mmCIF file of all heavy atoms in Angstrom:
data_model
loop_
_atom_site.group_PDB
_atom_site.id
_atom_site.type_symbol
_atom_site.label_atom_id
_atom_site.label_comp_id
_atom_site.label_asym_id
_atom_site.label_seq_id
_atom_site.Cartn_x
_atom_site.Cartn_y
_atom_site.Cartn_z
ATOM 1 N N LEU A 1 0.821 -1.211 0.001
ATOM 2 C CA LEU A 1 0.003 -0.007 -0.002
ATOM 3 C C LEU A 1 0.855 1.263 -0.017
ATOM 4 O O LEU A 1 0.532 2.232 -0.678
ATOM 5 C CB LEU A 1 -0.948 0.001 1.210
ATOM 6 C CG LEU A 1 -2.138 -0.969 1.130
ATOM 7 C CD1 LEU A 1 -2.956 -0.868 2.419
ATOM 8 C CD2 LEU A 1 -2.996 -0.644 -0.081
ATOM 9 N N ARG A 2 1.974 1.224 0.754
ATOM 10 C CA ARG A 2 2.818 2.403 0.774
ATOM 11 C C ARG A 2 3.461 2.621 -0.595
ATOM 12 O O ARG A 2 3.537 3.748 -1.094
ATOM 13 C CB ARG A 2 3.904 2.284 1.854
ATOM 14 C CG ARG A 2 4.814 3.506 1.855
ATOM 15 C CD ARG A 2 5.804 3.504 3.007
ATOM 16 N NE ARG A 2 6.610 4.742 2.968
ATOM 17 C CZ ARG A 2 6.242 5.893 3.471
ATOM 18 N NH1 ARG A 2 5.081 6.011 4.086
ATOM 19 N NH2 ARG A 2 7.035 6.958 3.366
ATOM 20 N N ARG A 3 3.935 1.558 -1.196
ATOM 21 C CA ARG A 3 4.554 1.670 -2.536
ATOM 22 C C ARG A 3 3.563 2.147 -3.568
ATOM 23 O O ARG A 3 3.881 2.908 -4.470
ATOM 24 C CB ARG A 3 5.157 0.346 -2.965
ATOM 25 C CG ARG A 3 6.380 -0.080 -2.148
ATOM 26 C CD ARG A 3 6.944 -1.396 -2.650
ATOM 27 N NE ARG A 3 8.113 -1.819 -1.898
ATOM 28 C CZ ARG A 3 9.353 -1.423 -2.139
ATOM 29 N NH1 ARG A 3 9.583 -0.579 -3.146
ATOM 30 N NH2 ARG A 3 10.340 -1.864 -1.396
ATOM 31 N N ALA A 4 2.292 1.698 -3.472
ATOM 32 C CA ALA A 4 1.285 2.040 -4.467
ATOM 33 C C ALA A 4 0.653 3.394 -4.244
ATOM 34 O O ALA A 4 0.355 4.118 -5.205
ATOM 35 C CB ALA A 4 0.203 0.961 -4.493
ATOM 36 N N LEU A 5 0.468 3.776 -2.978
ATOM 37 C CA LEU A 5 -0.342 4.953 -2.694
ATOM 38 C C LEU A 5 0.465 6.160 -2.210
ATOM 39 O O LEU A 5 0.001 7.290 -2.366
ATOM 40 C CB LEU A 5 -1.398 4.629 -1.630
ATOM 41 C CG LEU A 5 -2.396 3.522 -1.983
ATOM 42 C CD1 LEU A 5 -3.350 3.295 -0.801
ATOM 43 C CD2 LEU A 5 -3.159 3.874 -3.239
ATOM 44 N N ILE A 6 1.617 5.966 -1.605
ATOM 45 C CA ILE A 6 2.332 7.076 -0.979
ATOM 46 C C ILE A 6 3.638 7.381 -1.732
ATOM 47 O O ILE A 6 3.884 8.509 -2.155
ATOM 48 C CB ILE A 6 2.598 6.772 0.496
ATOM 49 C CG1 ILE A 6 1.266 6.645 1.244
ATOM 50 C CG2 ILE A 6 3.460 7.875 1.111
ATOM 51 C CD1 ILE A 6 1.412 6.331 2.711
ATOM 52 N N ASP A 7 4.517 6.386 -1.849
ATOM 53 C CA ASP A 7 5.784 6.617 -2.547
ATOM 54 C C ASP A 7 5.568 6.841 -4.034
ATOM 55 O O ASP A 7 4.683 6.206 -4.637
ATOM 56 C CB ASP A 7 6.708 5.425 -2.345
ATOM 57 C CG ASP A 7 7.157 5.290 -0.900
ATOM 58 O OD1 ASP A 7 7.015 6.270 -0.151
ATOM 59 O OD2 ASP A 7 7.615 4.191 -0.525
ATOM 60 N N PRO A 8 6.345 7.727 -4.642
ATOM 61 C CA PRO A 8 6.229 7.912 -6.116
ATOM 62 C C PRO A 8 6.547 6.608 -6.851
ATOM 63 O O PRO A 8 7.399 5.836 -6.430
ATOM 64 C CB PRO A 8 7.305 8.965 -6.416
ATOM 65 C CG PRO A 8 7.523 9.687 -5.135
ATOM 66 C CD PRO A 8 7.321 8.664 -4.062
ATOM 67 N N TRP A 9 5.833 6.380 -7.928
ATOM 68 C CA TRP A 9 6.093 5.177 -8.732
ATOM 69 C C TRP A 9 7.374 5.348 -9.538
ATOM 70 O O TRP A 9 7.703 6.480 -9.915
ATOM 71 C CB TRP A 9 4.943 4.937 -9.697
ATOM 72 C CG TRP A 9 3.673 4.500 -9.045
ATOM 73 C CD1 TRP A 9 3.456 4.284 -7.717
ATOM 74 C CD2 TRP A 9 2.425 4.246 -9.722
ATOM 75 N NE1 TRP A 9 2.147 3.892 -7.513
ATOM 76 C CE2 TRP A 9 1.506 3.849 -8.715
ATOM 77 C CE3 TRP A 9 2.036 4.284 -11.042
ATOM 78 C CZ2 TRP A 9 0.196 3.530 -9.035
ATOM 79 C CZ3 TRP A 9 0.722 3.945 -11.357
ATOM 80 C CH2 TRP A 9 -0.195 3.576 -10.351
ATOM 81 N N PRO A 10 8.042 4.266 -9.859
ATOM 82 C CA PRO A 10 9.139 4.343 -10.823
ATOM 83 C C PRO A 10 8.585 4.863 -12.157
ATOM 84 O O PRO A 10 7.453 4.527 -12.555
ATOM 85 C CB PRO A 10 9.617 2.906 -10.939
ATOM 86 C CG PRO A 10 9.147 2.215 -9.719
ATOM 87 C CD PRO A 10 7.857 2.886 -9.336
ATOM 88 N N ALA A 11 9.382 5.672 -12.827
ATOM 89 C CA ALA A 11 8.892 6.279 -14.073
ATOM 90 C C ALA A 11 8.553 5.211 -15.116
ATOM 91 O O ALA A 11 7.625 5.377 -15.899
ATOM 92 C CB ALA A 11 9.938 7.237 -14.625
ATOM 93 N N TRP A 12 9.303 4.095 -15.107
ATOM 94 C CA TRP A 12 9.043 3.035 -16.092
ATOM 95 C C TRP A 12 7.674 2.412 -15.861
ATOM 96 O O TRP A 12 7.000 2.025 -16.831
ATOM 97 C CB TRP A 12 10.144 1.981 -16.046
ATOM 98 C CG TRP A 12 10.248 1.231 -14.756
ATOM 99 C CD1 TRP A 12 11.137 1.477 -13.740
ATOM 100 C CD2 TRP A 12 9.479 0.108 -14.335
ATOM 101 N NE1 TRP A 12 10.942 0.601 -12.715
ATOM 102 C CE2 TRP A 12 9.941 -0.261 -13.033
ATOM 103 C CE3 TRP A 12 8.450 -0.620 -14.898
ATOM 104 C CZ2 TRP A 12 9.399 -1.310 -12.302
ATOM 105 C CZ3 TRP A 12 7.893 -1.680 -14.185
ATOM 106 C CH2 TRP A 12 8.364 -2.024 -12.908
ATOM 107 N N ALA A 13 7.260 2.318 -14.586
ATOM 108 C CA ALA A 13 5.955 1.737 -14.319
ATOM 109 C C ALA A 13 4.826 2.641 -14.777
ATOM 110 O O ALA A 13 3.850 2.239 -15.416
ATOM 111 C CB ALA A 13 5.809 1.443 -12.816
ATOM 112 N N ALA A 14 4.956 3.969 -14.469
ATOM 113 C CA ALA A 14 3.947 4.921 -14.889
ATOM 114 C C ALA A 14 3.941 5.016 -16.429
ATOM 115 O O ALA A 14 2.876 5.112 -17.054
ATOM 116 C CB ALA A 14 4.236 6.285 -14.288
ATOM 117 N N GLY A 15 5.141 5.009 -17.050
ATOM 118 C CA GLY A 15 5.201 5.062 -18.504
ATOM 119 C C GLY A 15 4.586 3.843 -19.159
ATOM 120 O O GLY A 15 3.880 3.947 -20.145
ATOM 121 N N GLY A 16 4.863 2.670 -18.571
ATOM 122 C CA GLY A 16 4.272 1.447 -19.128
ATOM 123 C C GLY A 16 2.758 1.466 -19.051
ATOM 124 O O GLY A 16 2.076 1.060 -19.981
ATOM 125 N N LEU A 17 2.243 1.963 -17.911
ATOM 126 C CA LEU A 17 0.775 2.051 -17.771
ATOM 127 C C LEU A 17 0.200 3.061 -18.781
ATOM 128 O O LEU A 17 -0.869 2.817 -19.379
ATOM 129 C CB LEU A 17 0.417 2.473 -16.343
ATOM 130 C CG LEU A 17 -1.047 2.609 -16.024
ATOM 131 C CD1 LEU A 17 -1.806 1.307 -16.315
ATOM 132 C CD2 LEU A 17 -1.243 3.037 -14.575
ATOM 133 N N LEU A 18 0.902 4.172 -18.985
ATOM 134 C CA LEU A 18 0.430 5.160 -19.970
ATOM 135 C C LEU A 18 0.432 4.569 -21.365
ATOM 136 O O LEU A 18 -0.518 4.753 -22.141
ATOM 137 C CB LEU A 18 1.346 6.387 -19.922
ATOM 138 C CG LEU A 18 1.073 7.483 -20.973
ATOM 139 C CD1 LEU A 18 -0.358 7.978 -20.865
ATOM 140 C CD2 LEU A 18 2.066 8.632 -20.797
ATOM 141 N N GLY A 19 1.478 3.795 -21.710
ATOM 142 C CA GLY A 19 1.523 3.159 -23.021
ATOM 143 C C GLY A 19 0.397 2.170 -23.214
ATOM 144 O O GLY A 19 -0.238 2.107 -24.268
ATOM 145 N N ALA A 20 0.108 1.373 -22.148
ATOM 146 C CA ALA A 20 -0.999 0.422 -22.238
ATOM 147 C C ALA A 20 -2.333 1.147 -22.389
ATOM 148 O O ALA A 20 -3.228 0.668 -23.119
ATOM 149 C CB ALA A 20 -1.026 -0.438 -20.968
ATOM 150 N N LEU A 21 -2.450 2.290 -21.746
ATOM 151 C CA LEU A 21 -3.693 3.063 -21.852
ATOM 152 C C LEU A 21 -3.867 3.612 -23.274
ATOM 153 O O LEU A 21 -5.005 3.641 -23.786
ATOM 154 C CB LEU A 21 -3.640 4.215 -20.834
ATOM 155 C CG LEU A 21 -4.941 4.955 -20.583
ATOM 156 C CD1 LEU A 21 -6.021 4.016 -20.096
ATOM 157 C CD2 LEU A 21 -4.689 6.066 -19.537
ATOM 158 N N VAL A 22 -2.791 4.047 -23.898
ATOM 159 C CA VAL A 22 -2.854 4.516 -25.276
ATOM 160 C C VAL A 22 -3.342 3.383 -26.196
ATOM 161 O O VAL A 22 -4.223 3.558 -27.048
ATOM 162 C CB VAL A 22 -1.511 5.064 -25.742
ATOM 163 C CG1 VAL A 22 -1.502 5.277 -27.257
ATOM 164 C CG2 VAL A 22 -1.178 6.366 -25.023
ATOM 165 N N ALA A 23 -2.751 2.172 -26.007
ATOM 166 C CA ALA A 23 -3.152 1.025 -26.807
ATOM 167 C C ALA A 23 -4.606 0.665 -26.553
ATOM 168 O O ALA A 23 -5.359 0.363 -27.496
ATOM 169 C CB ALA A 23 -2.237 -0.163 -26.502
ATOM 170 N N ALA A 24 -5.044 0.693 -25.278
ATOM 171 C CA ALA A 24 -6.423 0.370 -24.965
ATOM 172 C C ALA A 24 -7.391 1.387 -25.589
ATOM 173 O O ALA A 24 -8.495 1.023 -26.033
ATOM 174 C CB ALA A 24 -6.636 0.333 -23.445
ATOM 175 N N SER A 25 -6.976 2.643 -25.658
ATOM 176 C CA SER A 25 -7.838 3.668 -26.234
ATOM 177 C C SER A 25 -7.995 3.430 -27.732
ATOM 178 O O SER A 25 -9.071 3.672 -28.307
ATOM 179 C CB SER A 25 -7.265 5.058 -25.991
ATOM 180 O OG SER A 25 -6.072 5.273 -26.716
ATOM 181 N N TYR A 26 -6.948 2.937 -28.398
ATOM 182 C CA TYR A 26 -7.074 2.584 -29.808
ATOM 183 C C TYR A 26 -8.024 1.400 -29.978
ATOM 184 O O TYR A 26 -8.836 1.360 -30.909
ATOM 185 C CB TYR A 26 -5.692 2.228 -30.408
ATOM 186 C CG TYR A 26 -4.991 3.410 -30.974
ATOM 187 C CD1 TYR A 26 -3.710 3.765 -30.552
ATOM 188 C CD2 TYR A 26 -5.583 4.215 -31.967
ATOM 189 C CE1 TYR A 26 -3.024 4.858 -31.094
ATOM 190 C CE2 TYR A 26 -4.927 5.295 -32.497
ATOM 191 C CZ TYR A 26 -3.643 5.616 -32.062
ATOM 192 O OH TYR A 26 -2.999 6.701 -32.592
ATOM 193 N N ALA A 27 -7.932 0.450 -29.059
ATOM 194 C CA ALA A 27 -8.837 -0.706 -29.116
ATOM 195 C C ALA A 27 -10.295 -0.257 -28.971
ATOM 196 O O ALA A 27 -11.208 -0.859 -29.554
ATOM 197 C CB ALA A 27 -8.472 -1.736 -28.066
ATOM 198 N N ALA A 28 -10.503 0.801 -28.180
ATOM 199 C CA ALA A 28 -11.846 1.314 -27.970
ATOM 200 C C ALA A 28 -12.275 2.253 -29.113
ATOM 201 O O ALA A 28 -13.427 2.680 -29.151
ATOM 202 C CB ALA A 28 -11.940 2.045 -26.641
ATOM 203 N N GLY A 29 -11.335 2.586 -29.998
ATOM 204 C CA GLY A 29 -11.678 3.437 -31.146
ATOM 205 C C GLY A 29 -11.470 4.907 -30.945
ATOM 206 O O GLY A 29 -11.793 5.698 -31.852
ATOM 207 N N GLU A 30 -10.876 5.341 -29.849
ATOM 208 C CA GLU A 30 -10.689 6.766 -29.576
ATOM 209 C C GLU A 30 -9.290 6.970 -29.038
ATOM 210 O O GLU A 30 -9.018 6.667 -27.886
ATOM 211 C CB GLU A 30 -11.729 7.267 -28.555
ATOM 212 C CG GLU A 30 -11.610 8.742 -28.242
ATOM 213 C CD GLU A 30 -12.069 9.649 -29.353
ATOM 214 O OE1 GLU A 30 -12.839 9.166 -30.215
ATOM 215 O OE2 GLU A 30 -11.677 10.826 -29.385
ATOM 216 N N PRO A 31 -8.369 7.521 -29.862
ATOM 217 C CA PRO A 31 -6.992 7.691 -29.379
ATOM 218 C C PRO A 31 -6.913 8.608 -28.170
ATOM 219 O O PRO A 31 -7.629 9.626 -28.077
ATOM 220 C CB PRO A 31 -6.271 8.295 -30.603
ATOM 221 C CG PRO A 31 -7.371 8.882 -31.446
ATOM 222 C CD PRO A 31 -8.554 8.034 -31.217
ATOM 223 N N LEU A 32 -6.058 8.267 -27.229
ATOM 224 C CA LEU A 32 -5.953 9.001 -25.969
ATOM 225 C C LEU A 32 -5.294 10.353 -26.211
ATOM 226 O O LEU A 32 -4.355 10.509 -26.994
ATOM 227 C CB LEU A 32 -5.087 8.192 -24.989
ATOM 228 C CG LEU A 32 -4.929 8.754 -23.584
ATOM 229 C CD1 LEU A 32 -6.254 8.683 -22.835
ATOM 230 C CD2 LEU A 32 -3.872 7.999 -22.831
ATOM 231 N N GLY A 33 -5.815 11.346 -25.526
ATOM 232 C CA GLY A 33 -5.256 12.696 -25.600
ATOM 233 C C GLY A 33 -6.152 13.677 -24.866
ATOM 234 O O GLY A 33 -7.317 13.381 -24.593
ATOM 235 N N LEU A 34 -5.599 14.867 -24.550
ATOM 236 C CA LEU A 34 -6.349 15.875 -23.818
ATOM 237 C C LEU A 34 -6.575 17.119 -24.632
ATOM 238 O O LEU A 34 -7.046 18.151 -24.122
ATOM 239 C CB LEU A 34 -5.583 16.232 -22.539
ATOM 240 C CG LEU A 34 -5.269 15.084 -21.577
ATOM 241 C CD1 LEU A 34 -4.432 15.599 -20.406
ATOM 242 C CD2 LEU A 34 -6.531 14.429 -21.072
ATOM 243 N N ILE A 35 -6.275 17.086 -25.936
ATOM 244 C CA ILE A 35 -6.263 18.287 -26.748
ATOM 245 C C ILE A 35 -7.544 18.518 -27.526
ATOM 246 O O ILE A 35 -7.949 19.646 -27.781
ATOM 247 C CB ILE A 35 -5.038 18.259 -27.725
ATOM 248 C CG1 ILE A 35 -3.735 18.190 -26.928
ATOM 249 C CG2 ILE A 35 -5.052 19.449 -28.644
ATOM 250 C CD1 ILE A 35 -3.521 19.328 -25.994
#
């Protein structure tokens, strides 16, 4: 819980999750973005 909720995540873990989210958004038909 401390590693997940309090301590900052390793950048590779956050980056990997972001990459998976981009791929999932393509699977859903809407590319990820805030623009």
